[in-house]
Amino acid sequence: MSEFLTQFSRSLPSVWQGVSVTLQATVLSALLALVLAFVLGFMSRSDQLLVRGLSRVVVEFLRGTSLYVQLFWLFFALPILGFKLEPLACAVVAFGLNYGAYGSEVVRGALNAVPQAQWEAAVALNLSPWQRMRRVILPQAWVQMIPPFNNLLIQLLKSTPLLSLITISDLTFQMDQLRSTTGNTAAAYVTLLVIYFVLAYALTLLMNALEAVAKARLGQGSGLRHVLKPPSAGITDPDGRAARAGGV
Amino acid sequence: MLSDTDPKEETGPGGHTEAVDDALTNKGDALRNDSPANDSPVADMVRFDQVVKRFGDHTVLDQLDFGLRRGERVTLIGPSGSGKTTILRLLMTLERVTEGTIHVDGEPFSHMPGGRDGLVPANEKYLRERRRRIGMVFQQFNLFPNMKVLENVTEAPVHVLGLSRDEAAERGRELLDLVGLADKCDAHPTQLSGGQQQRVAIARALAMRPDILLLDEVTSALDPELVAGVLDVLRDIALSTDITMLCVTHEMGFARDVSDRVMMFDHGHVLEAGPPDQLFEAPEHTRTREFLSAVL
Amino acid sequence: MWDWNTAREGLPVVLHGFGITLLATVLGSVVAMVLGLLIAVLRRAPTRWVTVPVRIVVEFVRSTPVMIQLFAVWVLVPGLDPLTIGIAVLGIHYAMYTSEVYRAGIDAVPQGQWEAAVALSLPRGRVWRAVILPQAVRKVVPALGNYVISMFKETPFLSVITVQEMVHEANEYGSVHFAYLEAFTLAAAIFLVASYPTSMLMRRLEKRLAQ
């Protein structure tokens, strides 16, 4: 065990390298997913049947075909069709598309959850459709999106060991290296799990802080004091669709 | 055509000059030659012609004809579900008419000029040009929780009327002062009592300098002890401005104080209408008598 | 490029793997459903000596990647066959989620139901079995179903510990015949065809129960 710790401290730079690769993939994928979630989410509320239908088909396709298969398809099958993506790009596209589809359900649900009366009040003040969305609906819906977005972000983080399967030197890869040099399998995997747990917890704290700030702007909650609440709150749905009711 | 952003065109409550009004009225008149005759179409601020509103199979308004004169204050009374609120919602364009037309200040409102018959259902752009002359206060206040009190009041003046932030804020403070909430500018709506929220909602509607103010059961959601404060504010506004007002209320005392005319409404029809004294003291219809004895 | 013949020959191989995928999903779900319920009830235990450790385990297992958990158990618990490990790990991982679902369902049972049961002096076990759980579980069936679908789509992770489920088979067929395009497209299509109707069913069930 002590030998493992010595080795671990010696290889800290490469572990750190792995962490940064994993986080880089997570953040880039999350950004792509966020953009896609809003695009698909807004499309799903369109007056045009065609736009709505297109959004539905894309979402169902991306959700239905398994992230694992999508990633492998992009990595192994797409080059056969003549498009070769860098491994990291493959991962970001696969994660971004898949979680973007789940995220679009969050966006749609949160927009629908803003009471109809808020739209009506905005109409009565003669705000334009864009102003209604931008100034009245989105600021309220946003608060409701944060907890389910956090759930999706943690799921995304948990998918990142897949990076090691497509030749990326991520955290999992680096820890696997450490495992073979030390021969201490148990210590290596437990350490890896602990690092992932810490990363997930840190992300959750960050998202809780974001939620607290957003809520404070709605005159709800008590600011940053609730940031340290456990990350469990609101995880009841694999799609992160169950937006928690606002308010305290 | 009024521009969307030029504040100079807005000249305060009842804002248009007589000349502008006449022009609008004449233009409207030419478009409504097929509508049934009525007493004084030129003076009407709001005119419902044969308006039908159906939700599925349920007919809420059945060939409704009625008008509001400029500056007139009218109260709609009647049992719940009789369609009173639907009238306000049609005027605020929150609902669309099934049949018939609505004119505001002589101009078509539910419809716009066009098509073979001369009128087609109004689109969003057309509505946006006309809707801003109308303000509405809701039963549930519907303040925007993502904005502070003053921001609620200045939001539309800045983004719809195109006022500068300072100008809007100054007017907003005046209006909040008028409703007795000058000290709550920086509060969140959730920190206010229901009565205070409703007074903010009134200030918010007035900030748009509407010619027509719609009040939809504005005290129904309030605790009894908070009702008086809201009604006092509205009474002040009714008596000190020439805003055309259309109220739905169960507060018969308020209806009597501020109304020029009270309309008894039942099953999608106006059962009878008249000055408050007449309608409250000597109603013609049994239905009205029954209703009044139930609520008074 | 796409070759229909290759696809036709690959289909039986991939479908064979699909059998293992289904088996893992069904058995994994049983583990998740039973263990999740047990955890949910434990988290209502009257003493913190039970609730706190249970919560820590739930948080840890849920916040860490199932793929690493699979690896860890695979190398640390010798003598078990990979499929058994896969079913157990996947089932335990998802039990953390289903326990939250059950918990929400239990919390949603009105307080009056507990009080009525106390008023009838029902023993605690009887209260759970006859009063609370039947009401709680009914409401959460669609949410549980969604986790089954979710687990189904994560079964490819079992291939990292050599379980010969669908994606493992597709990968192998793809590498041997250099037919990754056909193999993975088939796998994706099968996932879609199997999961879409199921998720529609859950959505309908959700609407029905919401009424």
Side-chain angles (χ1 to χ4, degrees):
Chain A
M1 188 69 206
S2 67
E3 193 215 344
F4 176 81
L5 285 178
T6 329
Q7 272 296 335
F8 180 70
S9 58
R10 205 173 295 160
S11 48
L12 261 183
S14 58
V15 171
W16 178 245
Q17 181 74 25
V19 168
S20 72
V21 169
T22 293
L23 281 182
Q24 195 188 344
T26 306
V27 170
L28 290 177
S29 307
L31 288 178
L32 176 60
L34 188 67
V35 171
L36 190 68
F38 272 92
V39 170
L40 290 172
F42 277 115
M43 281 171 70
S44 73
R45 294 171 49 90
S46 164
D47 297 333
Q48 311 266 321
L49 185 66
L50 201 70
V51 176
R52 265 202 325 270
L54 181 67
S55 151
R56 197 74 249 150
V57 169
V58 171
V59 169
E60 292 302 344
F61 177 79
L62 289 174
R63 297 195 328 167
T65 49
S66 176
L67 173 63
Y68 197 106
V69 178
Q70 287 162 7
L71 180 68
F72 274 41
W73 196 93
L74 285 179
F75 188 73
F76 289 110
L78 191 61
I80 298 175
L81 292 175
F83 302 96
K84 193 162 167 48
L85 292 176
E86 289 297 306
L88 186 63
C90 273
V92 169
V93 171
F95 293 161
L97 291 182
N98 190 270
Y99 286 98
Y102 285 104
S104 75
E105 296 284 290
V106 172
V107 171
R108 191 167 68 111
L111 290 177
N112 287 344
V114 174
Q116 185 63 25
Q118 289 289 314
W119 291 93
E120 295 183 349
V123 170
L125 290 174
N126 208 12
L127 298 179
S128 70
W130 166 247
Q131 288 169 332
R132 279 172 224 159
M133 178 54 78
R134 169 71 190 75
R135 310 211 35 102
V136 177
I137 306 303
L138 260 189
Q140 296 180 53
W142 171 235
V143 180
Q144 303 223 5
M145 293 179 202
I146 297 173
F149 272 160
N150 179 42
N151 297 342
L152 288 177
L153 184 62
I154 301 303
Q155 305 249 27
L156 169 56
L157 177 70
K158 282 167 40 183
S159 311
T160 52
L162 283 172
L163 296 169
S164 64
L165 298 184
I166 57 166
T167 73
I168 297 174
S169 303
D170 71 333
L171 174 62
T172 304
F173 172 84
Q174 299 291 1
M175 290 305 289
D176 205 49
Q177 295 284 306
L178 191 62
R179 181 179 74 98
S180 29
T181 49
T182 59
N184 194 337
T185 302
Y189 281 134
V190 168
T191 312
L192 181 53
L193 287 171
V194 168
I195 294 175
Y196 261 110
F197 180 73
V198 170
L199 291 178
Y201 203 83
L203 283 180
T204 298
L205 289 186
L206 215 65
M207 293 293 272
N208 282 354
L210 200 62
E211 187 192 5
V213 170
K215 268 192 168 172
R217 287 182 56 185
L218 294 191
Q220 298 170 347
S222 44
L224 291 170
R225 255 188 301 145
H226 284 298
V227 170
L228 290 172
K229 76 189 167 192
S232 66
I235 303 183
T236 54
D237 191 324
D239 302 358
R241 265 187 293 139
R244 264 187 313 174
V248 180
Chain B
M1 200 114 316
L2 297 173
S3 99
D4 244 11
T5 50
D6 189 353
K8 287 195 289 288
E9 298 258 358
E10 289 291 312
T11 50
H16 306 285
T17 64
E18 287 302 316
V20 171
D21 284 335
D22 281 348
L24 293 176
T25 312
N26 292 338
K27 189 172 153 210
D29 243 2
L31 289 166
R32 52 199 290 283
N33 45 16
D34 59 340
S35 54
N38 49 63
D39 297 337
S40 50
V42 175
D44 276 352
M45 192 65 176
V46 173
R47 178 92 231 146
F48 277 56
D49 284 326
Q50 296 286 299
V51 168
V52 176
K53 178 63 189 175
R54 275 192 287 268
F55 293 103
D57 293 338
H58 182 55
T59 303
V60 183
L61 298 178
D62 192 7
Q63 305 203 318
L64 179 70
D65 281 311
F66 90 97
L68 293 181
R69 290 189 302 279
R70 180 179 308 282
E72 190 179 27
R73 294 182 290 271
V74 172
T75 303
L76 297 171
I77 62 171
S80 342
S82 59
K84 297 163 301 187
T85 292
T86 304
I87 293 179
L88 303 193
R89 292 174 60 83
L90 284 170
L91 255 178
M92 197 64 257
T93 71
L94 299 175
E95 310 280 357
R96 300 298 180 88
V97 295
T98 311
E99 289 167 27
T101 52
I102 301 171
H103 285 72
V104 170
D105 207 2
E107 282 205 320
F109 184 75
S110 60
H111 293 66
M112 59 185 188
R116 238 181 311 153
D117 307 331
L119 286 179
V120 294
N123 62 21
E124 175 66 26
K125 185 165 172 279
Y126 183 87
L127 288 177
R128 250 173 76 65
E129 282 167 16
R130 275 146 194 83
R131 180 161 58 198
R132 70 169 173 192
R133 304 185 57 189
I134 304 177
M136 182 163 180
V137 183
F138 297 86
Q139 182 176 355
Q140 297 290 345
F141 337 131
N142 300 356
L143 294 183
F144 302 134
N146 53 314
M147 301 175 196
K148 291 179 177 173
V149 165
L150 183 63
E151 289 167 343
N152 262 279
V153 179
T154 59
E155 173 69 18
V158 170
H159 289 99
V160 178
L161 299 182
L163 262 59
S164 74
R165 273 177 199 285
D166 291 345
E167 201 177 346
E170 191 188 321
R171 270 187 50 78
R173 286 208 177 78
E174 281 169 26
L175 284 167
L176 287 172
D177 190 37
L178 177 79
V179 299
L181 292 171
D183 55 331
K184 299 288 187 194
C185 285
D186 291 322
H188 277 290
T190 46
Q191 294 164 335
L192 303 184
S193 72
Q196 290 171 327
Q197 290 192 46
Q198 193 58 294
R199 282 185 276 154
V200 174
I202 293 167
R204 181 174 75 170
L206 289 177
M208 289 294 283
R209 310 181 185 194
D211 296 335
I212 303 166
L213 186 62
L214 308 175
L215 304 171
D216 185 12
E217 305 202 26
V218 294
T219 55
S220 299
L222 299 179
D223 292 336
E225 73 271 20
L226 302 175
V227 169
V230 171
L231 291 184
D232 285 345
V233 166
L234 288 173
R235 213 175 264 123
D236 276 354
I237 293 162
L239 300 179
S240 63
T241 67
D242 57 354
I243 299 181
T244 308
M245 283 169 80
L246 185 57
C247 326
V248 171
T249 185
H250 296 296
E251 297 287 336
M252 294 304 153
F254 174 72
R256 188 184 289 238
D257 286 356
V258 304
S259 313
D260 300 316
R261 195 151 51 106
V262 178
M263 294 169 106
M264 171 68 191
F265 214 77
D266 197 22
H267 290 103
H269 293 280
V270 178
L271 216 51
E272 61 179 303
D277 288 343
Q278 179 197 320
L279 196 120
F280 286 130
E281 303 304 332
E284 287 170 16
H285 273 265
T286 344
R287 236 0 240 114
T288 315
R289 267 197 294 279
E290 284 167 8
F291 175 74
L292 288 174
S293 69
V295 296
L296 285 176
Chain C
M1 286 298 142
W2 182 266
D3 180 40
W4 281 106
N5 271 332
T6 315
R8 205 169 306 127
E9 280 160 26
L11 187 61
V13 181
V14 177
L15 275 180
H16 178 260
F18 185 63
I20 307 287
T21 294
L22 272 189
L23 182 71
T25 307
V26 170
L27 294 181
S29 300
V30 171
V31 173
M33 297 298 149
V34 174
L35 185 61
L37 187 58
L38 187 70
I39 292 173
V41 174
L42 279 180
R43 288 193 67 173
R44 278 256 175 178
T47 158
R48 295 176 73 87
W49 290 105
V50 176
T51 58
V52 171
V54 170
R55 223 191 83 189
I56 290 172
V57 170
V58 169
E59 289 304 339
F60 188 83
V61 174
R62 201 181 46 191
S63 307
T64 49
V66 76
M67 187 175 133
I68 311 295
Q69 292 167 2
L70 283 165
F71 268 137
V73 176
W74 186 44
V75 295
L76 295 177
V77 184
L80 279 179
D81 83 293
L83 183 60
T84 309
I85 292 175
I87 288 167
V89 170
L90 214 51
I92 292 169
H93 190 84
Y94 271 87
M96 307 305 142
Y97 287 99
T98 55
S99 76
E100 290 288 314
V101 174
Y102 287 120
R103 204 158 71 100
I106 292 166
D107 287 348
V109 175
Q111 188 61 26
Q113 293 292 311
W114 291 95
E115 289 167 5
V118 170
L120 292 171
S121 317
L122 289 177
R124 202 168 159 80
R126 188 76 199 141
V127 175
W128 274 111
R129 262 182 297 125
V131 182
I132 304 303
L133 288 183
Q135 299 183 54
V137 172
R138 210 183 90 86
K139 280 180 221 164
V140 300
V141 167
L144 293 175
N146 284 332
Y147 277 113
V148 172
I149 300 171
S150 202
M151 182 194 286
F152 170 59
K153 287 181 285 194
E154 289 209 338
T155 49
F157 278 114
L158 302 198
S159 67
V160 302
I161 56 166
T162 73
V163 174
Q164 303 194 332
E165 50 66 64
M166 181 165 63
V167 175
H168 186 275
E169 297 297 273
N171 197 359
E172 205 153 273
Y173 186 82
S175 67
V176 171
H177 298 86
F178 197 65
Y180 284 120
L181 180 62
E182 291 81 3
F184 284 125
T185 305
L186 280 177
I190 292 170
F191 266 118
L192 188 63
V193 168
S195 69
Y196 181 68
T198 322
S199 70
M200 284 299 103
L201 189 75
M202 289 308 145
R203 208 168 289 183
R204 296 240 321 247
L205 202 61
E206 218 166 326
K207 281 205 181 113
R208 275 265 288 283
L209 288 173
Q211 279 162 11

